[in-house]
Amino acid sequence: MWRGPRGHMLVEDPRIDLLPDGPNGPRRFKIKTADSMERRNRVNSLLKDRYGWRGYQQVSLPTDPTVSRFTLTAVENDVVIGTITVAFDNPGKLGADGAFATEVDQLRAQGRRIAEFTKLAIDPAVGTKRVLATLFHVAYIVAHRIRGHDMLIMEVNPRHVRYYERMLGCQILAGERINKSVNAPAVLLGAEFAYIMAQIGEFGGRPESAARERSLYPFALSLREEAAVISRMQAKQRMQDRRLTDTGHPSEALPTDFGTTDLIGI
């Protein structure tokens, strides 16, 4: 997949628009953080597999840990079947600053707290809309409910714009242009986390409503499931904070993550 010197990659999973809905009933997969080298290696294998077959440049997760980004994985039977990375705005800039610096700076000038979703990949052999929606939902939880960011941006390939407009309610923030660092076309999309919250509240955890609501939101978590994820995250963060206070040393987990506890395993 296209990437720049800092490992930037557009949100693009080949044929993501053809994912099936997924079976009804309890989810058969778990959402975990990529908080170990073993799991990160599995994520890298998925990224290589999903984009390498199209002849794109090999991609991998950054090796430098930082609290300004984290990676989520969907795991089924100990196999990583999906992944997404969230980056938080900081002095080091976001991937979208490469091709859309003016637009991103305008958002900053408006006082927006931006989170960027990138490095998305779903295994089409077993992946479903439920996998994709759950990854997005947990990423939203950390970005908005936990970290307090108010806006999502994504840099996507032009052919996937309509999909994300329809499935997530994204809007075009800047039209197609060439990202000079990767020499590839991109469109900048954005969505208010307040809008995402409202859609989850109305449709989350109701896959039966997908027949009339043609978006990803019916396949997202219910509000009860969301509350459980938030509780787990906050409990894990408190444990890490206490460990740091008691010992003066950080935990062994990478600082991008909330620890080895499943964020959701239902």
Side-chain angles (χ1 to χ4, degrees):
M1 191 52 208
W2 308 309
R3 65 172 180 155
R6 297 183 60 210
H8 167 63
M9 184 177 73
L10 305 180
V11 171
E12 163 149 354
D13 187 27
R15 306 187 67 82
I16 200 171
D17 55 320
L18 299 183
L19 290 174
D21 291 354
N24 293 325
R27 290 171 174 80
R28 301 175 181 177
F29 56 90
K30 299 179 179 181
I31 301 297
K32 298 174 178 284
T33 54
D35 58 356
S36 68
M37 290 309 301
E38 178 184 2
R39 192 167 297 150
R40 294 173 78 84
N41 287 338
R42 293 181 182 181
V43 170
N44 287 334
S45 295
L46 176 62
L47 292 172
K48 180 180 179 181
D49 177 71
R50 290 309 302 136
Y51 299 114
W53 71 276
R54 294 183 66 103
Y56 293 136
Q57 184 175 342
Q58 183 177 343
V59 301
S60 61
L61 297 179
T63 57
D64 54 318
T66 171
V67 295
S68 64
R69 64 172 172 265
F70 75 99
T71 296
L72 292 169
T73 62
V75 179
E76 185 174 20
N77 298 324
D78 293 325
V79 176
V80 173
I81 61 173
T83 182
I84 191 171
T85 293
V86 180
F88 302 106
D89 202 12
N90 65 85
K93 301 295 185 179
L94 298 169
D97 279 297
F100 301 98
T102 299
E103 289 78 11
V104 177
D105 281 340
Q106 287 176 347
L107 294 175
R108 293 184 179 112
Q110 296 169 8
R112 308 310 302 271
R113 298 196 65 205
I114 309 166
E116 183 179 38
F117 288 7
T118 186
K119 286 186 173 63
L120 170 67
I122 302 291
D123 185 343
V126 292
T128 64
K129 287 188 177 74
R130 294 191 81 184
V131 174
L132 178 61
T134 308
L135 280 170
F136 269 106
H137 193 158
V138 179
Y140 147 82
I141 288 172
V142 179
H144 181 59
R145 301 298 303 278
I146 301 294
R147 298 285 184 91
H149 291 257
D150 58 27
M151 187 168 191
L152 160 68
I153 63 171
M154 300 191 300
E155 196 175 355
V156 307
N157 185 278
R159 70 173 178 269
H160 285 166
V161 169
R162 292 292 298 275
Y163 181 82
Y164 288 106
E165 286 179 323
R166 182 177 73 253
M167 301 304 278
L168 288 177
C170 292
Q171 297 181 337
I172 296 175
L173 302 181
E176 180 177 340
R177 65 187 61 167
I178 296 297
N179 185 312
K180 294 181 180 179
S181 67
V182 295
N183 194 31
V187 174
L188 185 66
L189 299 183
E192 302 278 351
F193 280 132
Y195 169 82
I196 293 174
M197 175 185 283
Q199 296 303 300
I200 289 172
E202 183 172 358
F203 300 108
R206 298 174 56 199
E208 70 280 359
S209 67
R212 61 181 179 84
E213 171 56 31
R214 306 299 293 178
S215 73
L216 283 178
Y217 293 110
F219 303 102
L221 306 177
S222 67
L223 292 182
R224 177 177 295 181
E225 291 169 331
E226 179 183 283
V229 172
I230 293 173
S231 178
R232 291 182 188 185
M233 289 180 174
Q234 291 174 334
K236 191 63 182 181
Q237 193 64 55
R238 286 193 295 270
M239 289 175 60
Q240 291 183 336
D241 291 343
R242 285 197 299 269
R243 187 179 295 115
L244 178 59
T245 300
D246 294 342
T247 66
H249 299 285
S251 67
E252 295 180 357
L254 295 175
T256 55
D257 305 312
F258 288 86
T260 57
T261 302
D262 295 348
L263 298 182
I264 178 170
I266 59 174

